[in-house]
Amino acid sequence: MKVTQTSSEGLKRDFTVVVEAAEIESKVTEKLTTVGQQVRLPGFRPGKVPMNILRQRFGRSVMGEILEETVNETSQKALNDNELRPAQQPKIEITKFDEGEDLEFTIEVEVMPDFEPMDFSKLKLEKLVSEVEDAKVDEAIDQIASQQKNFKKVARNRKAKEGDALLIDFLGKVDGVAFEGGAAEGHQLELGSGQFIPGFEDQLIGQKGGDELEVNVTFPENYGSADLAGKDAVFEVKVHEVHEAADVEIDDEFAKKMGLDDLAALKDSVRGRMEDEYGQLSRQTLKRNMLDALADGHDFEVPPGMKEAEFNSIWDQFKQELVRQGEKLEDQDQSEEELQAEYNDIAERRVRLGLLLAEVGRINNIDVSNEEVQQAMIAQARNFPGQEQQIFEMFQKNPEMQNSLRAPIFEDKVVDFISELAAVSEKKVSYDELIADPDEAAEAKPKKKPAAKKAPAKKKAAPKKAAAKKADDDKKPAAKKKAAPKKAAAKKSEK
């Protein structure tokens, strides 16, 4: 094998590799001999098949295998001999090969930059912390109580209004024929809740206990039942009682309905959840400050291919967000060139930080165990009640999905490692300060020297850019909604 370096520019290296025909022929013959010991062909005893027959029958497939193995082995040897660490998968192209002639191929590779991480003991970081105030706990419990509506029969029979609940019987018909799932007795329906199909609840506003009426509605075109989709229906409705919302008393009984012993236990539970939330937010601020400091403390060249790939990902996300919000690129405050330049800087920063964290992990033997990935898979599966087993198995069968869990675990472990070495000071702040976006806060501050001339009218604000933030902090997932019970056909279809 002969390896010739043809180019060396920045972090890019190009090589030409030539493997002699005799070496390839030797490997092909050896492989065909092994095949001959195993294959059974009519008219020949095992191991006695002539080489020319083996070449005729299996030569093409064996040659393909040998070429692939040879390219993989020799390209890796070329990189090892030159002591190169690829930043990403090398690009390999066979440029010349005919049977009986030398194999020639090229390797294009971007290598890891040579840099030394800073002394983390000299890193000074600020961590924002906030205590959970009693008023915030009470506010959270009030919010829980507001979602636990309690209705009671009105003292005086009156007309129902939005927000009331009616105790009703109903029977639905299409073309005069009752349909399955379109009837119920003693059903409590909150007006304005949107539980039933559009128009149903509106027609019950103004009714009183004892009233009987017909409710005319049209099922949506995308309704879950094809037999009812888009059809007109008539519901015969009898109103038994009008109920009004009553304030939920926050006491020990309320706490017991929440599955806890008493109000004190409920407050402790809510406080504990809030402390966990505050802790996560506090950690995010520390991580953000750390990444900012690391970015400022390191300046090394990044592989162009990695930077380009990251930029393309960010730019695609930005354009998708424009479409989602009904925006156009030409309506933004910045030109396309200015936006691309901004995102290009963000892409370079992300790649540099990624390489830095990876190098810190490599040098200090930081790794993610299979058990940690397993726990992350279980946690992800729990986000899909009723489908836990299917989700878990999906992760098990898909290495790429497992890597998507492994990467953030690795990053967090490296961040923890650095924070243990750094000088971390705590700053007590309010909850509002803890959750404030530092970028937005910086933009809101008045400039020290405002421009004298009048600024031109602003164009439409650009959509919020996920990539525009300096640090890629983990965002808190949205709270899950409680699954609604299955509803009768009169209600909205649950697709």
Side-chain angles (χ1 to χ4, degrees):
M1 179 183 75
K2 180 181 179 182
V3 180
T4 305
Q5 182 169 311
T6 57
S7 176
S8 175
E9 184 178 347
L11 298 177
K12 296 181 68 175
R13 305 286 187 274
D14 293 342
F15 297 91
T16 296
V17 180
V18 178
V19 182
E20 295 180 353
E23 183 178 343
I24 295 174
E25 175 59 25
S26 174
K27 291 182 178 180
V28 169
T29 301
E30 182 181 350
K31 183 71 172 180
L32 286 173
T33 301
T34 301
V35 170
Q37 300 293 329
Q38 301 168 345
V39 73
R40 292 181 178 275
L41 293 179
F44 299 98
R45 288 180 296 167
K48 300 297 182 180
V49 182
M51 181 58 68
N52 64 322
I53 300 295
L54 292 173
R55 286 186 181 277
Q56 183 181 357
R57 293 289 298 271
F58 308 106
R60 184 177 294 274
S61 61
V62 166
M63 178 63 76
E65 291 179 26
I66 295 302
L67 283 179
E68 183 177 358
E69 291 175 4
T70 301
V71 169
N72 289 338
E73 291 172 1
T74 54
S75 60
Q76 186 60 53
K77 187 175 187 304
L79 296 176
N80 292 342
D81 290 347
N82 286 274
E83 299 181 346
L84 299 178
R85 283 199 297 143
Q88 53 187 353
Q89 191 68 26
K91 180 181 177 182
I92 297 174
E93 182 180 356
I94 295 178
T95 54
K96 180 182 176 182
F97 178 72
D98 286 316
E99 193 167 347
E101 296 186 4
D102 294 347
L103 165 67
E104 183 176 304
F105 65 92
T106 60
I107 304 174
E108 294 180 14
V109 61
E110 291 184 356
V111 299
M112 287 285 291
D114 186 18
F115 65 91
E116 184 176 347
M118 65 186 296
D119 182 355
F120 299 127
S121 65
K122 297 180 180 179
L123 194 62
K124 295 181 179 180
L125 302 173
E126 185 176 71
K127 181 179 182 180
L128 303 183
V129 295
S130 181
E131 294 181 358
V132 178
E133 300 173 353
D134 292 342
K136 288 289 185 182
V137 174
D138 293 338
E139 185 180 316
I141 293 177
D142 287 341
Q143 181 65 27
I144 295 172
S146 69
Q147 297 169 357
Q148 306 294 320
K149 290 187 177 179
N150 185 24
F151 290 95
K152 65 178 181 179
K153 183 179 178 180
V154 295
R156 178 180 59 83
N157 194 15
R158 60 165 174 80
K159 293 182 178 181
K161 62 181 186 297
E162 187 169 328
D164 288 338
L166 300 183
L167 196 64
I168 61 173
D169 298 338
F170 62 84
L171 174 64
K173 297 180 180 180
V174 173
D175 297 328
V177 179
F179 54 87
E180 185 179 355
E185 294 182 354
H187 181 83
Q188 181 174 285
L189 172 63
E190 181 184 348
L191 302 184
S193 64
Q195 294 179 40
F196 280 24
I197 59 177
F200 190 101
E201 296 169 23
D202 294 340
Q203 296 176 56
L204 294 181
I205 294 176
Q207 303 300 316
K208 299 189 298 183
D211 288 351
E212 296 185 16
L213 71 154
E214 289 186 347
V215 174
N216 296 278
V217 293
T218 300
F219 283 95
E221 293 292 342
N222 60 349
Y223 191 70
S225 171
D227 295 335
L228 299 175
K231 293 187 177 179
D232 295 329
V234 177
F235 284 85
E236 299 171 1
V237 180
K238 181 176 181 179
V239 180
H240 291 291
E241 298 174 352
V242 177
H243 293 185
E244 60 185 359
D247 292 335
V248 176
E249 188 172 351
I250 300 175
D251 54 13
D252 289 345
E253 288 303 315
F254 173 73
K256 289 176 181 177
K257 289 180 181 179
M258 297 293 101
L260 293 156
D261 294 337
D262 51 31
L263 183 57
L266 175 60
K267 288 186 176 184
D268 288 343
S269 176
V270 171
R271 183 181 295 277
R273 290 200 301 270
M274 293 180 71
E275 286 174 345
D276 289 342
E277 177 191 348
Y278 282 30
Q280 287 297 319
L281 291 169
S282 182
R283 189 181 189 284
Q284 287 176 17
T285 63
L286 175 63
K287 179 179 177 181
R288 182 188 180 103
N289 291 336
M290 177 188 296
L291 293 179
D292 284 346
L294 293 177
D296 292 340
H298 298 83
D299 185 18
F300 53 83
E301 185 180 4
V302 301
M306 295 182 72
K307 177 180 171 181
E308 181 181 3
E310 185 64 30
F311 167 79
N312 290 336
S313 175
I314 297 172
W315 188 247
D316 287 344
Q317 289 176 20
F318 171 64
K319 291 194 294 186
Q320 290 170 14
E321 184 68 9
L322 283 177
V323 173
R324 190 184 70 80
Q325 294 189 5
E327 300 272 350
K328 292 183 179 179
L329 192 58
E330 53 267 27
D331 295 333
Q332 307 311 306
D333 289 342
Q334 298 166 277
S335 68
E336 181 174 353
E337 292 76 16
E338 289 172 330
L339 286 167
Q340 287 186 341
E342 179 183 334
Y343 283 131
N344 194 61
D345 290 342
I346 293 170
E348 182 171 337
R349 172 193 164 95
R350 282 188 176 185
V351 172
R352 184 175 289 113
L353 283 173
L355 292 174
L356 173 62
L357 296 180
E359 184 68 2
V360 173
R362 185 187 71 84
I363 294 173
N364 296 282
N365 298 316
I366 299 173
D367 199 6
V368 179
S369 67
N370 291 332
E371 290 75 18
E372 288 172 316
V373 176
Q374 191 92 345
Q375 289 300 316
M377 289 163 56
I378 293 172
Q380 287 291 319
R382 285 175 180 162
N383 290 331
F384 300 87
Q387 304 178 54
E388 292 92 342
Q389 188 62 33
Q390 299 95 307
I391 299 298
F392 185 78
E393 290 176 356
M394 182 170 64
F395 273 102
Q396 281 186 314
K397 297 174 182 177
N398 192 324
E400 288 187 7
M401 291 182 68
Q402 291 183 37
N403 287 335
S404 71
L405 299 178
R406 188 182 298 273
I409 296 173
F410 174 81
E411 181 176 301
D412 283 344
K413 293 181 76 169
V414 175
V415 167
D416 290 341
F417 172 81
I418 296 174
S419 64
E420 288 177 4
L421 298 176
V424 180
S425 61
E426 293 188 351
K427 178 182 178 182
K428 289 188 177 181
V429 297
S430 67
Y431 176 72
D432 290 339
E433 291 174 303
L434 184 63
I435 65 174
D437 186 331
D439 285 342
E440 293 179 1
E443 290 174 5
K445 288 182 179 179
K447 304 289 184 183
K448 289 184 179 179
K449 295 182 180 180
K453 62 181 181 179
K454 186 177 179 181
K458 281 192 175 181
K459 294 181 182 178
K460 205 170 186 182
K464 190 172 183 180
K465 312 160 193 170
K469 290 191 178 182
K470 287 184 179 179
D472 301 322
D473 295 328
D474 297 329
K475 292 183 175 63
K476 183 185 174 188
K480 295 196 168 199
K481 291 184 179 178
K482 202 169 186 179
K486 290 187 178 178
K487 303 169 186 172
K491 302 178 185 180
K492 287 184 177 179
S493 170
E494 296 182 6
K495 296 184 75 178

